[in-house]
Amino acid sequence: DAKTTQPNSMESNEEEPVHLPCNHSTISGTDYIHWYRQLPSQGPEYVIHGLTSNVNNRMASLAIAEDRKSSTLILHRATLRDAAVYYCILRRFISGSARQLTFGSGTQLTVLP
Amino acid sequence: NAGVTQTPKFRILKIGQSMTLQCAQDMNHNYMYWYRQDPGMGLKLIYYSVGAGITDKGEVPNGYNVSRSTTEDFPLRLELAAPSQTSVYFCASTIHRDSTQYFGPGTRLTVL
């Protein structure tokens, strides 16, 4: 199964951009790249996802390498509220009728005031 | 609109006891999922359902059972609790198979 590799932890200063990397060298053509984050003592929440092209939404941007073997989640201005564990996930079929989110151990982002 | 709700928030069980973790969603989502998260780890899929009356195993189903009699509810049953089932359990739902998954706040279970 394709899996992702992320740094265990990263630090950022408040109001500065943050680039969170993810390697997925065994990604297949039908795998979507999803990012979720988990704030302390809460369930994961969706951040962004993409297949081949770069994506932007109100929370973040997702930059996907041309060969799709890596991606980067970009938070344009980190706030203290962005401190969380960020998961890079490949979403693939587990049967003909559902897609599984396969979570790794994620990156713990610390935002310094 | 409450989203995905889970009860209880915390529970301590003795080895061999049984319990049911409740999950409900009010978004009329077809797909529902149960995950467990061990300390410092990512989530692992236990069971999932693609609609009322249809369930299937995920990555780590042993020791658990599920049922889906209604669209709204997806309870997870532990029959003979073991210390290895100490974990945080998350329920999630999504309207279509490719849509965003919405997670509940979790149930923290300790088996002693």
Side-chain angles (χ1 to χ4, degrees), chain A residues 34 36 38 41-46 87 91 93-101 103-105, chain B residues 31 33 35 37 40-43 45 48 50 59 90 94 96-101 103-105:
Chain A
H34 285 245
Y36 280 71
Q38 188 173 19
S41 301
Q42 294 189 27
E45 66 173 345
Y46 169 81
Y87 294 100
R91 193 166 189 186
F93 281 111
I94 51 174
S95 73
S97 55
R99 283 192 189 268
Q100 176 176 345
L101 292 179
F103 286 78
S105 51
Chain B
Y31 297 82
Y33 306 80
Y35 294 88
Q37 184 175 33
M41 307 293 286
L43 281 68
L45 183 66
Y48 67 96
V50 301
E59 184 183 358
F90 290 101
T94 182
H96 298 300
R97 68 183 185 190
D98 293 331
S99 301
T100 299
Q101 288 194 11
F103 285 82

Side-chain angles (χ1 to χ4, degrees), chain A:
Chain A
D1 283 348
K3 61 180 185 180
T4 62
T5 303
Q6 299 176 253
N8 288 334
S9 62
M10 291 185 65
E11 277 187 0
S12 172
N13 293 319
E14 197 176 7
E15 298 190 4
E16 290 187 356
V18 182
H19 291 235
L20 297 165
C22 180
N23 287 322
H24 28 79
S25 58
T26 58
I27 191 171
S28 74
T30 57
D31 286 339
Y32 283 79
I33 302 161
H34 285 245
W35 285 81
Y36 280 71
R37 71 180 185 181
Q38 188 173 19
L39 278 63
S41 301
Q42 294 189 27
E45 66 173 345
Y46 169 81
V47 178
I48 200 167
H49 78 280
L51 183 61
T52 56
S53 304
N54 294 345
V55 184
N56 300 296
N57 65 22
R58 63 175 180 81
M59 288 181 71
S61 296
L62 176 60
I64 301 173
E66 197 170 331
D67 63 6
R68 299 208 328 126
K69 293 186 176 181
S70 65
S71 61
T72 302
L73 177 71
I74 302 165
L75 307 179
H76 295 287
R77 289 185 65 199
T79 69
L80 296 178
R81 198 192 168 281
D82 291 322
V85 178
Y86 286 78
Y87 294 100
C88 169
I89 299 162
L90 300 183
R91 193 166 189 186
R92 56 174 37 188
F93 281 111
I94 51 174
S95 73
S97 55
R99 283 192 189 268
Q100 176 176 345
L101 292 179
T102 302
F103 286 78
S105 51
T107 296
Q108 173 70 62
L109 175 66
T110 301
V111 180
L112 303 173

